[in-house]
Amino acid sequence: EIVMTQSPATLSVSPGERATLSCRASQSVNSHLAWYQQKPGQAPRLLIYGASTRATGIPARFSGSGSGTEFTLTISSLQSEDFAVYYCQQYNNWPPYTFGQGTKLEIE
Amino acid sequence: EVELVESGGGLVQPGGSLRLSCAASGFTFSLYSMNWVRQAPGKGLEWVSYIGSSGDNTIHYVDSVKGRFIISRDSAKNSLFLQMNSLRDEDTALYFCVKGMGYCSGGSCYNWFDSWGQGTLVTVSS
């Protein structure tokens, strides 16, 4: 089973600033990595798949990068609606599909 | 617009059973793989089960539910199901119905989760 590790667990950033979230896989997942955003009381929403492709309707301020074992989600200029929990997920070696434990992005 | 609506959750005693349902609309249900993903209260996401598109009999489960849960689909009714037996305290979670999207290459398939329902809560407690 591939273990996904996200860092940091909590990230405090001011609106308008850049946020950088990290995700590491215990072995290579190539570019088969997705990012999801989850707000309180809501279902997760797909942001990025293929490590760097934005899903339909996702603003350009969200970008993903990386391959192999190291991945990054960058939010270039934080808006109030971006404060949420973010999860990475690998779909290269499955079953099982595995998620990271999440990074909570909070307002500084 | 894709819509996934789960139902069937509730309070059940340890050892009991529940059957979750998911009504799908807004896409050609038979063409897509489907999944159940759960989230324990205050915790992260855990994939539970996968079923391939209609005509593909592939089914997978996370180890912790193998032999207890059964996933199925009815493409005539655009519905996904999860039969949950021998429920344990640790099965308590919000269960999401999730649509897969992806591709197959070189004998392997790669699917991410592009649409999620709002979830149905399963509570296992005496």
mmCIF file of all heavy atoms in Angstrom, chain A residues 32 34 36 38 41-46 49-50 87 89 91-92 94-101, chain B residues 35 37 39 43-47 50 60-62 96 103 109-114 116-118:
data_model
loop_
_atom_site.group_PDB
_atom_site.id
_atom_site.type_symbol
_atom_site.label_atom_id
_atom_site.label_comp_id
_atom_site.label_asym_id
_atom_site.label_seq_id
_atom_site.Cartn_x
_atom_site.Cartn_y
_atom_site.Cartn_z
ATOM 1 N N HIS A 32 0.175 10.214 -11.296
ATOM 2 C CA HIS A 32 -1.194 9.810 -10.970
ATOM 3 C C HIS A 32 -1.560 10.284 -9.569
ATOM 4 O O HIS A 32 -1.697 9.490 -8.629
ATOM 5 C CB HIS A 32 -1.339 8.303 -11.139
ATOM 6 C CG HIS A 32 -1.101 7.856 -12.548
ATOM 7 N ND1 HIS A 32 -0.214 6.857 -12.877
ATOM 8 C CD2 HIS A 32 -1.626 8.292 -13.721
ATOM 9 C CE1 HIS A 32 -0.212 6.690 -14.200
ATOM 10 N NE2 HIS A 32 -1.058 7.562 -14.728
ATOM 11 N N ALA A 34 -3.980 13.285 -7.448
ATOM 12 C CA ALA A 34 -5.076 14.255 -7.473
ATOM 13 C C ALA A 34 -5.094 15.045 -6.162
ATOM 14 O O ALA A 34 -4.624 14.568 -5.130
ATOM 15 C CB ALA A 34 -6.411 13.546 -7.672
ATOM 16 N N TYR A 36 -7.811 17.432 -3.717
ATOM 17 C CA TYR A 36 -9.208 17.739 -3.418
ATOM 18 C C TYR A 36 -9.264 18.809 -2.341
ATOM 19 O O TYR A 36 -8.398 18.865 -1.464
ATOM 20 C CB TYR A 36 -9.957 16.486 -2.919
ATOM 21 C CG TYR A 36 -9.904 15.335 -3.885
ATOM 22 C CD1 TYR A 36 -8.861 14.425 -3.851
ATOM 23 C CD2 TYR A 36 -10.889 15.165 -4.850
ATOM 24 C CE1 TYR A 36 -8.792 13.380 -4.752
ATOM 25 C CE2 TYR A 36 -10.832 14.115 -5.751
ATOM 26 C CZ TYR A 36 -9.772 13.239 -5.691
ATOM 27 O OH TYR A 36 -9.706 12.195 -6.597
ATOM 28 N N GLN A 38 -11.852 20.349 0.658
ATOM 29 C CA GLN A 38 -13.064 20.079 1.427
ATOM 30 C C GLN A 38 -13.315 21.197 2.431
ATOM 31 O O GLN A 38 -12.471 21.474 3.276
ATOM 32 C CB GLN A 38 -12.987 18.741 2.162
ATOM 33 C CG GLN A 38 -14.321 18.358 2.815
ATOM 34 C CD GLN A 38 -14.272 17.009 3.511
ATOM 35 O OE1 GLN A 38 -13.249 16.581 4.026
ATOM 36 N NE2 GLN A 38 -15.412 16.312 3.529
ATOM 37 N N GLY A 41 -18.583 20.701 6.426
ATOM 38 C CA GLY A 41 -19.946 20.312 6.102
ATOM 39 C C GLY A 41 -20.208 20.031 4.637
ATOM 40 O O GLY A 41 -21.362 19.827 4.248
ATOM 41 N N GLN A 42 -19.151 20.028 3.831
ATOM 42 C CA GLN A 42 -19.316 19.784 2.397
ATOM 43 C C GLN A 42 -18.536 18.544 1.953
ATOM 44 O O GLN A 42 -17.629 18.085 2.645
ATOM 45 C CB GLN A 42 -18.830 20.990 1.589
ATOM 46 C CG GLN A 42 -19.630 22.248 1.823
ATOM 47 C CD GLN A 42 -19.205 23.372 0.891
ATOM 48 O OE1 GLN A 42 -18.556 23.146 -0.142
ATOM 49 N NE2 GLN A 42 -19.591 24.594 1.228
ATOM 50 N N ALA A 43 -18.913 18.041 0.793
ATOM 51 C CA ALA A 43 -18.162 16.961 0.187
ATOM 52 C C ALA A 43 -16.863 17.486 -0.400
ATOM 53 O O ALA A 43 -16.747 18.678 -0.717
ATOM 54 C CB ALA A 43 -18.998 16.315 -0.918
ATOM 55 N N PRO A 44 -15.871 16.635 -0.528
ATOM 56 C CA PRO A 44 -14.650 17.047 -1.233
ATOM 57 C C PRO A 44 -14.953 17.452 -2.676
ATOM 58 O O PRO A 44 -15.920 16.979 -3.274
ATOM 59 C CB PRO A 44 -13.771 15.793 -1.172
ATOM 60 C CG PRO A 44 -14.275 15.028 0.004
ATOM 61 C CD PRO A 44 -15.750 15.273 0.011
ATOM 62 N N ARG A 45 -14.093 18.321 -3.207
ATOM 63 C CA ARG A 45 -14.219 18.771 -4.589
ATOM 64 C C ARG A 45 -12.894 18.548 -5.288
ATOM 65 O O ARG A 45 -11.837 18.906 -4.756
ATOM 66 C CB ARG A 45 -14.590 20.260 -4.638
ATOM 67 C CG ARG A 45 -14.649 20.840 -6.046
ATOM 68 C CD ARG A 45 -15.118 22.266 -6.081
ATOM 69 N NE ARG A 45 -14.187 23.225 -5.528
ATOM 70 C CZ ARG A 45 -14.033 24.489 -5.979
ATOM 71 N NH1 ARG A 45 -14.750 24.896 -7.017
ATOM 72 N NH2 ARG A 45 -13.205 25.305 -5.389
ATOM 73 N N LEU A 46 -12.928 17.970 -6.470
ATOM 74 C CA LEU A 46 -11.709 17.746 -7.241
ATOM 75 C C LEU A 46 -11.128 19.069 -7.719
ATOM 76 O O LEU A 46 -11.835 19.878 -8.324
ATOM 77 C CB LEU A 46 -12.011 16.850 -8.443
ATOM 78 C CG LEU A 46 -10.865 16.617 -9.419
ATOM 79 C CD1 LEU A 46 -9.752 15.783 -8.766
ATOM 80 C CD2 LEU A 46 -11.371 15.920 -10.684
ATOM 81 N N TYR A 49 -5.959 16.880 -11.199
ATOM 82 C CA TYR A 49 -5.667 15.488 -11.465
ATOM 83 C C TYR A 49 -4.462 15.431 -12.393
ATOM 84 O O TYR A 49 -4.064 16.444 -12.987
ATOM 85 C CB TYR A 49 -6.875 14.750 -12.059
ATOM 86 C CG TYR A 49 -7.345 15.294 -13.391
ATOM 87 C CD1 TYR A 49 -6.864 14.774 -14.590
ATOM 88 C CD2 TYR A 49 -8.262 16.347 -13.451
ATOM 89 C CE1 TYR A 49 -7.282 15.272 -15.799
ATOM 90 C CE2 TYR A 49 -8.687 16.859 -14.663
ATOM 91 C CZ TYR A 49 -8.199 16.313 -15.837
ATOM 92 O OH TYR A 49 -8.610 16.821 -17.039
ATOM 93 N N GLY A 50 -3.875 14.246 -12.510
ATOM 94 C CA GLY A 50 -2.661 14.140 -13.314
ATOM 95 C C GLY A 50 -1.543 15.024 -12.799
ATOM 96 O O GLY A 50 -0.703 15.494 -13.572
ATOM 97 N N TYR A 87 -6.657 17.578 0.465
ATOM 98 C CA TYR A 87 -6.169 16.203 0.465
ATOM 99 C C TYR A 87 -5.518 15.872 -0.865
ATOM 100 O O TYR A 87 -6.023 16.256 -1.925
ATOM 101 C CB TYR A 87 -7.326 15.215 0.665
ATOM 102 C CG TYR A 87 -8.022 15.303 1.999
ATOM 103 C CD1 TYR A 87 -9.170 16.073 2.164
ATOM 104 C CD2 TYR A 87 -7.545 14.591 3.104
ATOM 105 C CE1 TYR A 87 -9.819 16.146 3.387
ATOM 106 C CE2 TYR A 87 -8.191 14.658 4.327
ATOM 107 C CZ TYR A 87 -9.322 15.442 4.453
ATOM 108 O OH TYR A 87 -9.957 15.505 5.675
ATOM 109 N N GLN A 89 -4.264 12.475 -3.220
ATOM 110 C CA GLN A 89 -4.683 11.078 -3.403
ATOM 111 C C GLN A 89 -3.918 10.492 -4.573
ATOM 112 O O GLN A 89 -3.794 11.119 -5.628
ATOM 113 C CB GLN A 89 -6.188 10.999 -3.689
ATOM 114 C CG GLN A 89 -6.716 9.611 -3.975
ATOM 115 C CD GLN A 89 -7.447 9.514 -5.295
ATOM 116 O OE1 GLN A 89 -7.918 10.522 -5.842
ATOM 117 N NE2 GLN A 89 -7.577 8.323 -5.840
ATOM 118 N N TYR A 91 -3.536 7.444 -7.427
ATOM 119 C CA TYR A 91 -4.326 6.438 -8.128
ATOM 120 C C TYR A 91 -3.434 5.653 -9.099
ATOM 121 O O TYR A 91 -3.898 5.133 -10.113
ATOM 122 C CB TYR A 91 -5.534 7.066 -8.840
ATOM 123 C CG TYR A 91 -5.241 8.244 -9.735
ATOM 124 C CD1 TYR A 91 -5.014 8.070 -11.094
ATOM 125 C CD2 TYR A 91 -5.226 9.543 -9.233
ATOM 126 C CE1 TYR A 91 -4.772 9.145 -11.925
ATOM 127 C CE2 TYR A 91 -4.973 10.628 -10.053
ATOM 128 C CZ TYR A 91 -4.745 10.428 -11.399
ATOM 129 O OH TYR A 91 -4.505 11.505 -12.234
ATOM 130 N N ASN A 92 -2.152 5.555 -8.756
ATOM 131 C CA ASN A 92 -1.225 4.815 -9.606
ATOM 132 C C ASN A 92 -1.208 3.323 -9.279
ATOM 133 O O ASN A 92 -1.311 2.477 -10.172
ATOM 134 C CB ASN A 92 0.190 5.384 -9.428
ATOM 135 C CG ASN A 92 1.164 4.814 -10.417
ATOM 136 O OD1 ASN A 92 1.083 5.095 -11.609
ATOM 137 N ND2 ASN A 92 2.102 4.000 -9.935
ATOM 138 N N TRP A 94 -3.193 0.697 -7.198
ATOM 139 C CA TRP A 94 -4.432 0.472 -6.448
ATOM 140 C C TRP A 94 -4.992 -0.871 -6.838
ATOM 141 O O TRP A 94 -4.678 -1.410 -7.891
ATOM 142 C CB TRP A 94 -5.430 1.604 -6.748
ATOM 143 C CG TRP A 94 -5.897 1.597 -8.172
ATOM 144 C CD1 TRP A 94 -5.236 2.119 -9.258
ATOM 145 C CD2 TRP A 94 -7.096 1.015 -8.667
ATOM 146 N NE1 TRP A 94 -5.962 1.875 -10.391
ATOM 147 C CE2 TRP A 94 -7.107 1.211 -10.062
ATOM 148 C CE3 TRP A 94 -8.163 0.335 -8.074
ATOM 149 C CZ2 TRP A 94 -8.155 0.766 -10.854
ATOM 150 C CZ3 TRP A 94 -9.199 -0.096 -8.880
ATOM 151 C CH2 TRP A 94 -9.194 0.114 -10.259
ATOM 152 N N PRO A 95 -5.822 -1.526 -6.058
ATOM 153 C CA PRO A 95 -6.276 -1.029 -4.752
ATOM 154 C C PRO A 95 -5.195 -1.184 -3.684
ATOM 155 O O PRO A 95 -4.300 -2.013 -3.852
ATOM 156 C CB PRO A 95 -7.474 -1.958 -4.446
ATOM 157 C CG PRO A 95 -7.151 -3.236 -5.166
ATOM 158 C CD PRO A 95 -6.437 -2.825 -6.417
ATOM 159 N N PRO A 96 -5.279 -0.399 -2.603
ATOM 160 C CA PRO A 96 -6.300 0.620 -2.394
ATOM 161 C C PRO A 96 -5.875 1.968 -2.954
ATOM 162 O O PRO A 96 -4.678 2.277 -3.054
ATOM 163 C CB PRO A 96 -6.365 0.689 -0.868
ATOM 164 C CG PRO A 96 -4.950 0.414 -0.440
ATOM 165 C CD PRO A 96 -4.396 -0.568 -1.438
ATOM 166 N N TYR A 97 -6.834 2.786 -3.340
ATOM 167 C CA TYR A 97 -6.574 4.204 -3.514
ATOM 168 C C TYR A 97 -6.238 4.759 -2.122
ATOM 169 O O TYR A 97 -6.890 4.391 -1.139
ATOM 170 C CB TYR A 97 -7.824 4.924 -4.008
ATOM 171 C CG TYR A 97 -8.283 4.540 -5.389
ATOM 172 C CD1 TYR A 97 -9.448 3.801 -5.572
ATOM 173 C CD2 TYR A 97 -7.589 4.955 -6.517
ATOM 174 C CE1 TYR A 97 -9.907 3.472 -6.843
ATOM 175 C CE2 TYR A 97 -8.031 4.627 -7.794
ATOM 176 C CZ TYR A 97 -9.188 3.890 -7.948
ATOM 177 O OH TYR A 97 -9.628 3.563 -9.207
ATOM 178 N N THR A 98 -5.250 5.639 -2.043
ATOM 179 C CA THR A 98 -4.885 6.178 -0.734
ATOM 180 C C THR A 98 -4.801 7.698 -0.759
ATOM 181 O O THR A 98 -4.379 8.296 -1.749
ATOM 182 C CB THR A 98 -3.566 5.588 -0.231
ATOM 183 O OG1 THR A 98 -2.572 5.683 -1.260
ATOM 184 C CG2 THR A 98 -3.739 4.120 0.149
ATOM 185 N N PHE A 99 -5.230 8.264 0.353
ATOM 186 C CA PHE A 99 -5.236 9.718 0.549
ATOM 187 C C PHE A 99 -4.187 10.107 1.571
ATOM 188 O O PHE A 99 -3.871 9.322 2.476
ATOM 189 C CB PHE A 99 -6.591 10.178 1.085
ATOM 190 C CG PHE A 99 -7.745 10.020 0.134
ATOM 191 C CD1 PHE A 99 -8.476 8.840 0.093
ATOM 192 C CD2 PHE A 99 -8.123 11.057 -0.701
ATOM 193 C CE1 PHE A 99 -9.552 8.696 -0.768
ATOM 194 C CE2 PHE A 99 -9.203 10.931 -1.565
ATOM 195 C CZ PHE A 99 -9.918 9.743 -1.601
ATOM 196 N N GLY A 100 -3.710 11.340 1.460
ATOM 197 C CA GLY A 100 -2.963 11.915 2.554
ATOM 198 C C GLY A 100 -3.904 12.265 3.696
ATOM 199 O O GLY A 100 -5.132 12.216 3.550
ATOM 200 N N GLN A 101 -3.323 12.646 4.816
ATOM 201 C CA GLN A 101 -4.120 12.916 6.010
ATOM 202 C C GLN A 101 -4.752 14.300 6.001
ATOM 203 O O GLN A 101 -5.563 14.628 6.880
ATOM 204 C CB GLN A 101 -3.267 12.737 7.273
ATOM 205 C CG GLN A 101 -2.366 13.915 7.608
ATOM 206 C CD GLN A 101 -1.078 13.975 6.806
ATOM 207 O OE1 GLN A 101 -0.930 13.330 5.746
ATOM 208 N NE2 GLN A 101 -0.139 14.761 7.297
ATOM 209 N N ASN B 35 -17.373 4.502 -6.864
ATOM 210 C CA ASN B 35 -16.675 4.184 -5.623
ATOM 211 C C ASN B 35 -17.499 4.617 -4.409
ATOM 212 O O ASN B 35 -18.366 5.488 -4.506
ATOM 213 C CB ASN B 35 -15.340 4.948 -5.555
ATOM 214 C CG ASN B 35 -14.401 4.617 -6.679
ATOM 215 O OD1 ASN B 35 -13.550 3.750 -6.567
ATOM 216 N ND2 ASN B 35 -14.551 5.326 -7.797
ATOM 217 N N VAL B 37 -16.374 6.162 -0.686
ATOM 218 C CA VAL B 37 -15.301 6.716 0.142
ATOM 219 C C VAL B 37 -15.939 7.150 1.452
ATOM 220 O O VAL B 37 -17.032 7.720 1.446
ATOM 221 C CB VAL B 37 -14.622 7.910 -0.565
ATOM 222 C CG1 VAL B 37 -13.598 8.571 0.362
ATOM 223 C CG2 VAL B 37 -13.959 7.466 -1.872
ATOM 224 N N GLN B 39 -15.556 8.889 5.590
ATOM 225 C CA GLN B 39 -14.851 9.846 6.425
ATOM 226 C C GLN B 39 -15.381 9.731 7.838
ATOM 227 O O GLN B 39 -16.524 10.116 8.104
ATOM 228 C CB GLN B 39 -15.024 11.263 5.875
ATOM 229 C CG GLN B 39 -14.214 12.312 6.586
ATOM 230 C CD GLN B 39 -14.229 13.649 5.850
ATOM 231 O OE1 GLN B 39 -15.241 14.054 5.275
ATOM 232 N NE2 GLN B 39 -13.105 14.328 5.838
ATOM 233 N N LYS B 43 -12.097 13.088 10.899
ATOM 234 C CA LYS B 43 -10.931 12.428 10.329
ATOM 235 C C LYS B 43 -10.818 12.662 8.821
ATOM 236 O O LYS B 43 -11.598 13.426 8.240
ATOM 237 C CB LYS B 43 -11.010 10.918 10.599
ATOM 238 C CG LYS B 43 -11.097 10.557 12.078
ATOM 239 C CD LYS B 43 -9.872 10.996 12.848
ATOM 240 C CE LYS B 43 -9.941 10.538 14.288
ATOM 241 N NZ LYS B 43 -8.768 11.013 15.084
ATOM 242 N N GLY B 44 -9.843 12.009 8.203
ATOM 243 C CA GLY B 44 -9.608 12.156 6.775
ATOM 244 C C GLY B 44 -10.432 11.205 5.934
ATOM 245 O O GLY B 44 -11.346 10.532 6.418
ATOM 246 N N LEU B 45 -10.075 11.147 4.663
ATOM 247 C CA LEU B 45 -10.815 10.354 3.685
ATOM 248 C C LEU B 45 -10.214 8.954 3.551
ATOM 249 O O LEU B 45 -8.997 8.792 3.547
ATOM 250 C CB LEU B 45 -10.774 11.049 2.319
ATOM 251 C CG LEU B 45 -11.340 12.460 2.290
ATOM 252 C CD1 LEU B 45 -11.025 13.132 0.958
ATOM 253 C CD2 LEU B 45 -12.847 12.436 2.533
ATOM 254 N N GLU B 46 -11.088 7.968 3.437
ATOM 255 C CA GLU B 46 -10.663 6.581 3.244
ATOM 256 C C GLU B 46 -11.486 5.960 2.125
ATOM 257 O O GLU B 46 -12.716 5.878 2.229
ATOM 258 C CB GLU B 46 -10.828 5.773 4.525
ATOM 259 C CG GLU B 46 -10.393 4.321 4.367
ATOM 260 C CD GLU B 46 -10.639 3.454 5.582
ATOM 261 O OE1 GLU B 46 -11.670 3.638 6.254
ATOM 262 O OE2 GLU B 46 -9.801 2.576 5.870
ATOM 263 N N TRP B 47 -10.812 5.511 1.088
ATOM 264 C CA TRP B 47 -11.499 4.782 0.024
ATOM 265 C C TRP B 47 -11.976 3.438 0.561
ATOM 266 O O TRP B 47 -11.239 2.758 1.278
ATOM 267 C CB TRP B 47 -10.555 4.590 -1.160
ATOM 268 C CG TRP B 47 -11.067 3.627 -2.171
ATOM 269 C CD1 TRP B 47 -11.997 3.855 -3.154
ATOM 270 C CD2 TRP B 47 -10.704 2.246 -2.296
ATOM 271 N NE1 TRP B 47 -12.225 2.706 -3.879
ATOM 272 C CE2 TRP B 47 -11.442 1.712 -3.368
ATOM 273 C CE3 TRP B 47 -9.832 1.409 -1.602
ATOM 274 C CZ2 TRP B 47 -11.332 0.380 -3.762
ATOM 275 C CZ3 TRP B 47 -9.717 0.100 -1.987
ATOM 276 C CH2 TRP B 47 -10.468 -0.413 -3.065
ATOM 277 N N TYR B 50 -14.660 -0.076 -4.926
ATOM 278 C CA TYR B 50 -14.689 0.308 -6.343
ATOM 279 C C TYR B 50 -15.493 -0.718 -7.124
ATOM 280 O O TYR B 50 -15.380 -1.922 -6.861
ATOM 281 C CB TYR B 50 -13.266 0.363 -6.870
ATOM 282 C CG TYR B 50 -13.110 0.336 -8.384
ATOM 283 C CD1 TYR B 50 -12.890 1.513 -9.083
ATOM 284 C CD2 TYR B 50 -13.136 -0.855 -9.105
ATOM 285 C CE1 TYR B 50 -12.713 1.509 -10.464
ATOM 286 C CE2 TYR B 50 -12.969 -0.878 -10.476
ATOM 287 C CZ TYR B 50 -12.757 0.300 -11.157
ATOM 288 O OH TYR B 50 -12.582 0.297 -12.524
ATOM 289 N N HIS B 60 -13.321 -4.041 -6.121
ATOM 290 C CA HIS B 60 -12.247 -4.021 -5.134
ATOM 291 C C HIS B 60 -12.769 -3.453 -3.825
ATOM 292 O O HIS B 60 -13.708 -2.633 -3.813
ATOM 293 C CB HIS B 60 -11.076 -3.158 -5.609
ATOM 294 C CG HIS B 60 -10.358 -3.692 -6.799
ATOM 295 N ND1 HIS B 60 -9.635 -4.872 -6.768
ATOM 296 C CD2 HIS B 60 -10.242 -3.207 -8.061
ATOM 297 C CE1 HIS B 60 -9.105 -5.084 -7.961
ATOM 298 N NE2 HIS B 60 -9.463 -4.091 -8.770
ATOM 299 N N TYR B 61 -12.111 -3.849 -2.731
ATOM 300 C CA TYR B 61 -12.441 -3.350 -1.397
ATOM 301 C C TYR B 61 -11.177 -3.042 -0.631
ATOM 302 O O TYR B 61 -10.140 -3.689 -0.832
ATOM 303 C CB TYR B 61 -13.226 -4.398 -0.598
ATOM 304 C CG TYR B 61 -14.520 -4.858 -1.227
ATOM 305 C CD1 TYR B 61 -14.574 -6.030 -1.975
ATOM 306 C CD2 TYR B 61 -15.696 -4.125 -1.063
ATOM 307 C CE1 TYR B 61 -15.758 -6.456 -2.555
ATOM 308 C CE2 TYR B 61 -16.889 -4.549 -1.638
ATOM 309 C CZ TYR B 61 -16.906 -5.710 -2.391
ATOM 310 O OH TYR B 61 -18.086 -6.131 -2.956
ATOM 311 N N VAL B 62 -11.273 -2.105 0.275
ATOM 312 C CA VAL B 62 -10.197 -1.924 1.246
ATOM 313 C C VAL B 62 -10.188 -3.141 2.160
ATOM 314 O O VAL B 62 -11.238 -3.755 2.414
ATOM 315 C CB VAL B 62 -10.384 -0.604 2.033
ATOM 316 C CG1 VAL B 62 -11.592 -0.672 2.952
ATOM 317 C CG2 VAL B 62 -9.135 -0.236 2.783
ATOM 318 N N PHE B 96 -19.507 8.582 1.232
ATOM 319 C CA PHE B 96 -19.706 9.328 -0.004
ATOM 320 C C PHE B 96 -19.770 8.379 -1.200
ATOM 321 O O PHE B 96 -18.939 7.458 -1.317
ATOM 322 C CB PHE B 96 -18.548 10.298 -0.252
ATOM 323 C CG PHE B 96 -18.400 11.397 0.759
ATOM 324 C CD1 PHE B 96 -17.436 11.324 1.745
ATOM 325 C CD2 PHE B 96 -19.222 12.510 0.710
ATOM 326 C CE1 PHE B 96 -17.275 12.342 2.679
ATOM 327 C CE2 PHE B 96 -19.079 13.541 1.632
ATOM 328 C CZ PHE B 96 -18.108 13.449 2.615
ATOM 329 N N TYR B 103 -8.592 6.803 -17.319
ATOM 330 C CA TYR B 103 -8.256 6.120 -18.558
ATOM 331 C C TYR B 103 -7.512 4.836 -18.245
ATOM 332 O O TYR B 103 -7.056 4.632 -17.110
ATOM 333 C CB TYR B 103 -7.377 7.036 -19.428
ATOM 334 C CG TYR B 103 -6.030 7.349 -18.809
ATOM 335 C CD1 TYR B 103 -4.891 6.607 -19.166
ATOM 336 C CD2 TYR B 103 -5.881 8.347 -17.852
ATOM 337 C CE1 TYR B 103 -3.662 6.867 -18.596
ATOM 338 C CE2 TYR B 103 -4.653 8.616 -17.281
ATOM 339 C CZ TYR B 103 -3.540 7.877 -17.660
ATOM 340 O OH TYR B 103 -2.328 8.140 -17.083
ATOM 341 N N CYS B 109 -5.490 0.720 -15.266
ATOM 342 C CA CYS B 109 -6.445 1.825 -15.321
ATOM 343 C C CYS B 109 -6.144 2.813 -14.202
ATOM 344 O O CYS B 109 -5.745 2.432 -13.100
ATOM 345 C CB CYS B 109 -7.874 1.313 -15.193
ATOM 346 S SG CYS B 109 -8.395 0.349 -16.635
ATOM 347 N N TYR B 110 -6.346 4.099 -14.529
ATOM 348 C CA TYR B 110 -5.994 5.173 -13.624
ATOM 349 C C TYR B 110 -7.208 6.089 -13.488
ATOM 350 O O TYR B 110 -7.608 6.743 -14.447
ATOM 351 C CB TYR B 110 -4.787 5.946 -14.169
ATOM 352 C CG TYR B 110 -3.611 5.053 -14.440
ATOM 353 C CD1 TYR B 110 -3.332 4.622 -15.736
ATOM 354 C CD2 TYR B 110 -2.800 4.615 -13.400
ATOM 355 C CE1 TYR B 110 -2.257 3.775 -15.989
ATOM 356 C CE2 TYR B 110 -1.724 3.770 -13.652
ATOM 357 C CZ TYR B 110 -1.456 3.353 -14.936
ATOM 358 O OH TYR B 110 -0.403 2.519 -15.174
ATOM 359 N N ASN B 111 -7.790 6.077 -12.307
ATOM 360 C CA ASN B 111 -9.041 6.813 -12.092
ATOM 361 C C ASN B 111 -8.937 7.752 -10.905
ATOM 362 O O ASN B 111 -8.561 7.335 -9.815
ATOM 363 C CB ASN B 111 -10.190 5.836 -11.834
ATOM 364 C CG ASN B 111 -10.488 4.980 -13.038
ATOM 365 O OD1 ASN B 111 -11.120 5.424 -13.987
ATOM 366 N ND2 ASN B 111 -10.045 3.742 -13.008
ATOM 367 N N TRP B 112 -9.303 8.983 -11.125
ATOM 368 C CA TRP B 112 -9.461 9.941 -10.038
ATOM 369 C C TRP B 112 -10.949 10.118 -9.779
ATOM 370 O O TRP B 112 -11.793 9.554 -10.478
ATOM 371 C CB TRP B 112 -8.768 11.269 -10.373
ATOM 372 C CG TRP B 112 -9.211 11.884 -11.659
ATOM 373 C CD1 TRP B 112 -10.205 12.813 -11.859
ATOM 374 C CD2 TRP B 112 -8.661 11.627 -12.957
ATOM 375 N NE1 TRP B 112 -10.313 13.110 -13.190
ATOM 376 C CE2 TRP B 112 -9.381 12.430 -13.882
ATOM 377 C CE3 TRP B 112 -7.639 10.801 -13.433
ATOM 378 C CZ2 TRP B 112 -9.097 12.419 -15.244
ATOM 379 C CZ3 TRP B 112 -7.363 10.801 -14.795
ATOM 380 C CH2 TRP B 112 -8.085 11.599 -15.684
ATOM 381 N N PHE B 113 -11.274 10.892 -8.760
ATOM 382 C CA PHE B 113 -12.658 11.001 -8.299
ATOM 383 C C PHE B 113 -13.194 12.384 -8.655
ATOM 384 O O PHE B 113 -12.872 13.363 -7.983
ATOM 385 C CB PHE B 113 -12.715 10.761 -6.794
ATOM 386 C CG PHE B 113 -12.171 9.425 -6.362
ATOM 387 C CD1 PHE B 113 -11.621 9.261 -5.095
ATOM 388 C CD2 PHE B 113 -12.226 8.318 -7.180
ATOM 389 C CE1 PHE B 113 -11.138 8.029 -4.681
ATOM 390 C CE2 PHE B 113 -11.744 7.073 -6.783
ATOM 391 C CZ PHE B 113 -11.191 6.933 -5.527
ATOM 392 N N ASP B 114 -14.009 12.478 -9.686
ATOM 393 C CA ASP B 114 -14.355 13.801 -10.192
ATOM 394 C C ASP B 114 -15.680 14.352 -9.697
ATOM 395 O O ASP B 114 -15.926 15.552 -9.853
ATOM 396 C CB ASP B 114 -14.281 13.837 -11.726
ATOM 397 C CG ASP B 114 -15.445 13.135 -12.385
ATOM 398 O OD1 ASP B 114 -16.014 12.205 -11.775
ATOM 399 O OD2 ASP B 114 -15.778 13.507 -13.521
ATOM 400 N N TRP B 116 -18.616 13.988 -6.317
ATOM 401 C CA TRP B 116 -18.928 13.408 -5.009
ATOM 402 C C TRP B 116 -20.358 13.765 -4.611
ATOM 403 O O TRP B 116 -20.809 14.882 -4.854
ATOM 404 C CB TRP B 116 -17.980 13.969 -3.949
ATOM 405 C CG TRP B 116 -16.529 13.697 -4.155
ATOM 406 C CD1 TRP B 116 -15.752 14.096 -5.202
ATOM 407 C CD2 TRP B 116 -15.666 12.985 -3.263
ATOM 408 N NE1 TRP B 116 -14.463 13.660 -5.026
ATOM 409 C CE2 TRP B 116 -14.376 12.985 -3.834
ATOM 410 C CE3 TRP B 116 -15.843 12.348 -2.028
ATOM 411 C CZ2 TRP B 116 -13.275 12.371 -3.229
ATOM 412 C CZ3 TRP B 116 -14.751 11.745 -1.418
ATOM 413 C CH2 TRP B 116 -13.487 11.761 -2.021
ATOM 414 N N GLY B 117 -21.030 12.796 -3.990
ATOM 415 C CA GLY B 117 -22.294 13.117 -3.351
ATOM 416 C C GLY B 117 -22.056 13.835 -2.033
ATOM 417 O O GLY B 117 -20.908 14.050 -1.638
ATOM 418 N N GLN B 118 -23.136 14.183 -1.341
ATOM 419 C CA GLN B 118 -23.028 14.883 -0.063
ATOM 420 C C GLN B 118 -22.836 13.938 1.112
ATOM 421 O O GLN B 118 -22.498 14.369 2.211
ATOM 422 C CB GLN B 118 -24.263 15.749 0.167
ATOM 423 C CG GLN B 118 -24.294 16.999 -0.695
ATOM 424 C CD GLN B 118 -23.060 17.859 -0.489
ATOM 425 O OE1 GLN B 118 -22.730 18.256 0.627
ATOM 426 N NE2 GLN B 118 -22.332 18.142 -1.570
#
